[in-house]
Amino acid sequence: MAVVDVQRVFRALAEARDKDFYPLWCDLTYLWRPLPEIKFRIYQVADTVDARIALWVAGSRPDSTQITWGLVVTAEAAKLTIETSIDVGTPDGPEVDDQVFERSAETDDATRAAELIRSMAGELCGQRWPITQESFPTS
């Protein structure tokens, strides 16, 4: 993959953070205490050469329900996997949260990966119903 391809993917992630995740975080800061988090992290995938970039907004509703909107891009040997999800949990609940929304796609093309990141981030952060909905569908 050429440097320009890496640049396309990084740029799409930066745009998703600024255009989709940041406004979601701002909206939540007016509604939830303690303040929600907005995070961006790069991880190694255990015992492989693969790497994962994660971008998310997480917070706790007034009823203590924890909601996380997340986008993850995993770079594997021959492809990029883009995943989005909304996870719901409680502070004293199970270790694994319920996933109430998820989308994923794979590609070996950086331009397509950038398009997927932008569109999937927009769809994910447009899902505002977990902010106030009292019960959630199971996936």
Side-chain angles (χ1 to χ4, degrees):
M1 187 176 282
V3 171
V4 69
D5 292 333
V6 175
Q7 183 183 31
R8 279 188 190 106
V9 173
F10 283 8
R11 180 66 187 191
L13 285 164
E15 289 172 3
R17 192 239 181 241
D18 292 346
K19 179 180 174 258
D20 300 303
F21 283 84
Y22 185 72
L24 171 62
W25 177 79
C26 286
D27 289 348
L28 294 177
T29 63
Y30 292 107
L31 300 170
W32 293 355
R33 295 290 183 264
L35 291 177
E37 300 177 320
I38 184 168
K39 299 283 186 167
F40 190 89
R41 297 280 189 265
I42 301 173
Y43 301 94
Q44 296 178 27
V45 179
D47 298 327
T48 70
V49 296
D50 301 344
R52 177 172 288 145
I53 297 174
L55 173 60
W56 72 92
V57 167
S60 199
R61 296 187 330 185
D63 66 0
S64 298
T65 302
Q66 310 229 343
I67 311 288
T68 302
W69 288 258
L71 181 143
V72 175
V73 178
T74 304
E76 301 171 78
K79 67 182 178 185
L80 293 173
T81 302
I82 298 98
E83 301 169 285
T84 58
S85 66
I86 298 174
D87 298 320
V88 176
T90 58
D92 54 350
E95 201 170 300
V96 177
D97 295 340
D98 288 329
Q99 208 168 58
V100 297
F101 174 89
E102 65 179 323
R103 300 282 188 271
S104 65
E106 297 177 348
T107 184
D108 63 355
D109 179 74
T111 300
R112 178 70 181 135
E115 292 168 358
L116 287 166
I117 290 166
R118 288 182 185 103
S119 67
M120 291 172 72
E123 179 186 17
L124 172 73
C125 293
Q127 303 292 322
R128 301 297 178 98
W129 53 269
I131 295 172
T132 57
Q133 188 164 321
E134 291 183 26
S135 63
F136 302 97
T138 56
S139 58

